[in-house]
Amino acid sequence: MTVAMERILAWKILPRFMMLMMSVSAWRVVEWFMLLPDPTTQQSALVSVVTGAMTGAFAVWLNNEK
C-alpha cells in the first residue's frame, strides 16, 4: 500500500463518516416522528427500531475506536 492510503486508513474516515450519517438519519427519524399529529403504533415501532439500531452501532463503533 502507498503511504497516502495507509494514512487514510489510519484516520478511519469511512467508519466515522458512516457513523455521522447514521446519527443524522436517526435524528431525522425522531424529528419526523415528533412532528406527526397522530402517530400510529407502526410509526412508533419504526422509531424504536431505528434508535435501537443506532444504540448498537454506536456501541460497536466505540469499541472499535480504542
Side-chain angles (χ1 to χ4, degrees), residues 5-44:
M5 192 62 181
E6 288 176 3
R7 287 185 181 164
I8 289 172
L9 290 175
W11 291 338
K12 300 177 184 174
I13 293 172
L14 185 61
R16 291 177 179 175
F17 178 73
M18 289 173 59
M19 195 63 205
L20 176 67
M21 290 296 102
M22 284 187 67
S23 298
V24 168
S25 64
W27 182 276
R28 295 288 298 160
V29 167
V30 172
E31 187 178 52
W32 162 78
F33 183 75
M34 289 189 299
L35 292 175
L36 291 174
D38 189 25
T40 64
T41 55
Q42 290 87 359
Q43 292 164 335
S44 63

